[in-house]
């Protein structure tokens, strides 16, 4: 179950309504700034603070800097992207819904007919069968593909289907 492969198939099925786009850098840059702020606060007010508080700010600051820098580097230089709907100007939401093996036929039928509400109602249990959904913010576009968990991997049960409402 490769998200990148499914995203590319979704773009091909959508007739240029959906494209692969990198996520923005706003959140990881804010995380970086918060880390530098915590570090500066620990260094600037280190003498006035309790030693444990200063040490805590230093550790949290370095942790935020490392995490933020890692995400920035991955988003800038990684080959990944997320499906983005041009009409609503928003990223599609990714969901995995789990079902027991006994419901395999029903899940395949619900995915084939685009019955997303039915999938969400019946979801739960052992992840022997997985329905992967991409849905738009307003629910106008939905893509569904069922998978079966066999020998430590997910094998597709059907092709990716795209539904417009």
């Amino acid at each position: 179950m490769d998200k990148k492969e499914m995203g590319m198939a979704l773009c091909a099925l959508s007739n240029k309504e959906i494209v692969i786009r990198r996520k923005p850098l706003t959140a990881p840059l804010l995380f970086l700034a918060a880390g530098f702020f915590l570090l500066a606060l620990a260094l600037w007010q280190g003498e006035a603070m309790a030693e444990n508080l200063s040490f805590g700010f230093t550790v949290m600051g370095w942790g935020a800097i490392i995490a933020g820098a890692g995400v920035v580097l991955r988003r800038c230089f990684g080959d990944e992207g997320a499906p983005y709907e041009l009409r609503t100007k928003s990223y599609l939401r990714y969901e995995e819904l789990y079902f027991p093996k006994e419901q395999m036929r029903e899940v395949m039928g619900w995915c084939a007919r685009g019955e997303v509400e039915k999938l969400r109602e019946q979801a739960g249990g052992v992840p022997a069968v997985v329905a992967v959904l991409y849905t738009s913010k307003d629910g106008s576009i939905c893509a569904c593909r069922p998978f079966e968990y066999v020998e430590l991997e997910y094998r597709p049960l059907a092709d990716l289907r795209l539904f417009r409402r």
Side-chain angles (χ1 to χ4, degrees):
M1 188 168 43
D2 185 15
K3 284 186 183 181
K4 184 176 179 180
E5 179 184 309
M6 285 185 65
M8 297 304 285
L10 188 58
C11 291
L13 287 173
S14 72
N15 199 16
K16 298 184 182 178
E17 292 177 69
I18 298 171
V19 295
I20 296 293
R21 182 175 281 185
R22 290 182 190 272
K23 289 192 173 183
L25 295 174
T26 310
L29 287 176
L30 285 174
F31 220 68
L32 260 171
F36 282 118
F37 175 75
L38 286 172
L39 250 165
L41 187 65
L43 292 174
W44 182 52
Q45 294 289 326
E47 307 255 335
M49 282 192 256
E51 188 175 323
N52 290 341
L53 187 61
S54 176
F55 178 74
F57 280 175
T58 303
V59 169
M60 286 190 305
W62 278 112
I65 289 170
I66 291 169
V71 173
V72 166
L73 289 174
R74 186 172 178 190
R75 287 192 182 169
C76 286
F77 301 111
D79 64 345
E80 64 187 43
Y84 183 83
E85 185 183 9
L86 296 173
R87 187 181 54 79
T88 61
K89 294 182 174 60
S90 63
Y91 291 94
L92 296 182
R93 188 173 55 154
Y94 177 83
E95 283 181 86
E96 290 182 4
L97 303 174
Y98 302 108
F99 302 90
K101 191 160 183 86
E102 296 81 34
Q103 286 185 307
M104 183 185 304
R105 293 278 178 220
E106 291 94 345
V107 171
M108 289 176 64
W110 295 330
C111 284
R113 292 185 299 273
E115 296 179 14
V116 178
E117 293 80 21
K118 190 75 168 176
L119 284 166
R120 287 186 178 135
E121 286 173 6
Q122 301 293 325
V126 181
V129 177
V130 180
V132 175
L133 300 175
Y134 277 104
T135 53
S136 62
K137 186 167 48 174
D138 61 356
S140 61
I141 291 182
C142 176
C144 182
R145 186 172 190 186
F147 290 88
E148 180 183 16
Y149 185 72
V150 179
E151 297 177 7
L152 302 177
E153 69 176 2
Y154 286 109
R155 293 188 183 152
L157 293 172
D159 291 332
L160 181 69
R161 301 283 308 262
L162 181 67
F163 302 96
R164 292 175 179 83
R165 300 189 197 302

